[in-house]
Amino acid sequence: MHKIQRPFPGRSLRNIALCLPVMASLASPLAAQSDYATPFAFTDYAGSGASGSADGTGAAARFNEPYGVALDSAGNLYVADKNNDTIRVITTAGAVTTLAGMAGMQGSTDATGNLASFDGPTGITVGSGGDLYVADSLNNTIRRVTSSGSVSTVAGVPGSAGSTDGPGSAALFSQPSGIAIDSTGNLFVTDFANNTIREITQAGVVTTLVGTAGTPGSTDSTGVSAYFRSPIGITIDPSGNLYVTDTGNNTIRKITPGGTTTTLAGMAGTSGTADGTGTAARFNSPRGITIDSSGNLYVADSGNSTIRKITAAGAVTTLAGSPGSFANSPGTGAFALFDVPVGIAVDGSGNLYVAQELGDIISKGAVTTTSIPVITGQPVSQAIAAGSTVAFHAASSGLPAPTYQWYFNGTALSNGGNVSGATGPTLLITGASAPNAGSYSFKATNSSGTVQSSAATLAISSSTDVGRLINISCRSQVGTGANILISGFVVGGAGTAGSEPLLVRASGPALAAFDVAGLLPDPELQIFSGMVVLGTNMGWGGNAAIASAASAVGAFPWTSPSSDDSALLESLSPGAYTAQISGQSGDTGVALVEVYDNTPSHTAASPRLINISARTQVGTGGSILIAGFVIGGSTSRTVLIRASGPALAAFNVAGTLPDPELQLYAGSSSLLAANDGWGGDPVIAAAAASVNAFAWTSPTSNDSALLVTLAPGAYTAQVSGASGDTGVALIEVYEVP
């Protein structure tokens, strides 16, 4: 019930991602998603990332979906090891032992040590006398564990779910999840499936403090008039105020001692990653929560795989993790990665302890001003066609920020000839030839030390089937007026002649097969050359040539000949073109535009797609800009990807996205790179000039860009507002010759 499955909202279409990110594979540096104002350096504290139940010290220990964590006054950390059905203790030296329960033995037995049994324990807290209190979730009970491992049931009936108030076994719970204790020994429990917060007195009497069982909602009010939706985490401040992660609402709620509930941060029903104050902030399935001695809250934002901080005024910042990157990796700020962080605790020195449910590991985060560099992305080997451009990327974390030195076959490189960026994060080699073939690596250095990357090889291929763009697809909300879906593409390439056959499709009704809601019911497709309309279609009508071309290029099939989906087959000479999708009847909805290279057999002289772009209104949640592209051929291709927002103001575009964040995925799941501000990067500027992209005049603008060399395959570029805002954005993908 509590386990977050990595998010897959719907099925995927071939060559375009309709899914959210899953697992990170960092091939180039991830830009910070926040200001990371308080630098935390995270290390692996206990566990190795492999599931198991072994006791031991540090990496020798094993966990199986560890969930809640809590600290005692001596600094020992207690863990509710959910899938092992045990309670574990970690000493300050990192030694892990099992205090109560036996791995793999589910049950509800009250006893001592491994004779006691639990079923899916989640929340855990420590009383002033050293006793532990556990939300034994799947038993629907609250358990007490003494320092000697003696287990007893405080309230609830094993196996009996309900919402009854009363003393001890007369009370019923339904999947209790989080638990906190006040200075007088009263317990407070998030009753997950009941959508309520319960209180248990020292005498074991259970009452419902706020919420109404069986009535999920998000209303702020007092007592049973306040509503919650699947609350999980809970903590308490010295004044008796409770703070709850209202997980199903993606909010953080505050409950006063008098039972008045308010929303401290986040907006009910809206998930996201944005930092901000109060309702401007966004969370994604927040679960664990804790509070420090200064009144700051720390939240395990499980669905975002990040750690968030909330001040008493409700100001939210991201401390560590990269949204959507589900992996465990020690590091600082955005380079510390988590695999579903759930439990969180803070000690008197401000150190954080995080349980990673799917990472099967406990991490420790210490406030730091310096840290040795950590390689967070190794350079990737490439095979490119002779005369092509190749980019290698360095990615590392550390404080202060590391500097870089690139090496070729073990010798330090310098700029000159066809090499640039030798002391930067991106090494660029233009017009690569046989003398450039070999081994490339980098060193990252700061005042704390130096680390060496692994080596990547560059191979020069003689293949005539060179890497090239063969498809673009963009899914977006189609509005009216200036907010229709506009996709541009350029046909050409040095030394090419003739024309290129293309299949262009506009899907609306056909997306229903992929569980996409709010579809554009009748997409109208037009192809322009400048202001001249080359073709228009308002319903493909089961055209046999369209169906055959779609099958040949691997497009997903349209099963209804009578649908209002639209398509055109065009043979286009070198030049710039635009595909525009609007509602035939002026209606709105989600549509997908695809442009496919329909060349039966490619030669070096065949024109190809050398630039693809899409401009649309960027919203939040499922309304961000999602553009897919495919690199065909047998060699890698270097591309420049840009997300323009502020830069569009020079073209009198109104309502531009003020801070576009760009993320690149392999297929629909593996995060390769991200950027949320290009910073005037001279390598990016030079690449843009080489492909005749319009100039970005402000190096401090929030426009974002990536320069990457990619192997043949399908990729997805996503553009969203870094602060959760909305507006018009343009995404461009250029072949870099």
Side-chain angles (χ1 to χ4, degrees), residues 81-82 84-87 98-121 134-145 149-153 158:
D81 198 2
K82 187 182 67 173
N84 275 328
D85 302 302
T86 56
I87 306 303
T98 300
L99 178 63
M102 179 178 289
M105 295 296 292
Q106 296 175 351
S108 58
T109 303
D110 287 342
T112 299
N114 61 15
L115 298 179
S117 56
F118 299 83
D119 193 357
V134 176
D136 196 7
S137 190
L138 298 185
N139 272 326
N140 299 307
T141 57
I142 305 303
R143 316 288 290 281
R144 178 191 289 115
V145 185
S150 175
V151 180
S152 57
T153 300

Side-chain angles (χ1 to χ4, degrees), residues 447-497:
S447 57
S448 298
T450 298
V451 290
Q452 171 80 52
S453 77
S454 62
T457 58
L458 174 61
I460 307 300
S461 172
S462 60
S463 172
T464 58
D465 185 23
V466 298
R468 60 195 183 278
L469 294 168
I470 61 172
N471 164 242
I472 179 178
S473 49
C474 178
R475 192 197 80 178
S476 178
Q477 179 75 23
V478 175
T480 58
N483 292 325
I484 63 173
L485 176 55
I486 302 173
S487 178
F489 54 95
V490 177
V491 174
T496 63

Side-chain angles (χ1 to χ4, degrees), residues 222-292:
T222 301
V224 296
S225 298
Y227 295 138
F228 294 79
R229 188 181 301 275
S230 305
I232 290 183
I234 189 168
T235 192
I236 190 168
D237 70 16
S239 299
N241 296 298
L242 297 171
Y243 300 89
V244 174
T245 55
D246 198 5
T247 306
N249 280 324
N250 297 305
T251 56
I252 309 301
R253 314 288 290 279
K254 178 180 179 179
I255 307 166
T256 68
T260 297
T261 301
T262 55
T263 299
L264 179 66
M267 180 175 287
T270 304
S271 63
T273 65
D275 289 343
T277 300
T279 57
R282 297 289 183 272
F283 298 87
N284 187 358
S285 297
R287 291 202 257 176
I289 189 168
T290 191
I291 191 167
D292 68 15

Side-chain angles (χ1 to χ4, degrees), residues 121-446:
T122 53
I124 189 168
T125 192
V126 183
S128 59
D131 287 346
L132 307 177
Y133 296 89
V134 176
D136 196 7
S137 190
L138 298 185
N139 272 326
N140 299 307
T141 57
I142 305 303
R143 316 288 290 281
R144 178 191 289 115
V145 185
T146 68
S147 58
S148 63
S150 175
V151 180
S152 57
T153 300
V154 174
V157 177
S160 296
S163 60
T164 305
D165 289 340
S169 59
L172 296 178
F173 296 85
S174 188
Q175 299 178 9
S177 297
I179 189 166
I181 190 168
D182 69 13
S183 58
T184 62
N186 297 306
L187 296 169
F188 300 88
V189 178
T190 53
D191 203 0
F192 175 85
N194 278 326
N195 302 299
T196 57
I197 310 302
R198 315 287 290 279
E199 180 178 0
I200 309 174
T201 68
Q202 296 178 63
V205 177
V206 179
T207 57
T208 299
L209 179 64
V210 290
T212 298
T215 307
S218 59
T219 302
D220 287 340
S221 188
T222 301
V224 296
S225 298
Y227 295 138
F228 294 79
R229 188 181 301 275
S230 305
I232 290 183
I234 189 168
T235 192
I236 190 168
D237 70 16
S239 299
N241 296 298
L242 297 171
Y243 300 89
V244 174
T245 55
D246 198 5
T247 306
N249 280 324
N250 297 305
T251 56
I252 309 301
R253 314 288 290 279
K254 178 180 179 179
I255 307 166
T256 68
T260 297
T261 301
T262 55
T263 299
L264 179 66
M267 180 175 287
T270 304
S271 63
T273 65
D275 289 343
T277 300
T279 57
R282 297 289 183 272
F283 298 87
N284 187 358
S285 297
R287 291 202 257 176
I289 189 168
T290 191
I291 191 167
D292 68 15
S293 58
S294 299
N296 297 302
L297 296 168
Y298 300 90
V299 176
D301 197 4
S302 303
N304 280 326
S305 67
T306 55
I307 306 302
R308 317 290 291 278
K309 177 182 177 181
I310 311 175
T311 67
V316 180
T317 54
T318 302
L319 295 183
S322 181
S325 299
F326 291 87
N328 172 63
S329 178
T332 303
F335 299 98
L337 303 181
F338 304 92
D339 198 356
V340 188
V342 284
I344 188 167
V346 61
D347 66 19
S349 300
N351 300 307
L352 296 175
Y353 300 83
V354 177
Q356 299 183 44
E357 183 184 22
L358 297 190
D360 294 316
I361 201 164
I362 311 298
S363 300
K364 179 179 179 179
V367 177
T368 182
T369 55
T370 61
S371 62
I372 192 169
V374 174
I375 302 295
T376 57
Q378 301 286 358
V380 177
S381 296
Q382 304 289 352
I384 64 168
S388 298
T389 295
V390 63
F392 289 107
H393 289 282
S396 69
S397 66
L399 293 172
T403 59
Y404 297 100
Q405 174 62 59
W406 283 94
Y407 293 80
F408 174 55
N409 291 336
T411 300
L413 282 167
S414 58
N415 295 327
N418 66 341
V419 174
S420 60
T423 56
T426 301
L427 177 69
L428 197 67
I429 304 168
T430 58
S433 59
N436 298 118
S439 171
Y440 291 83
S441 62
F442 68 86
K443 288 183 179 179
T445 302
N446 67 9

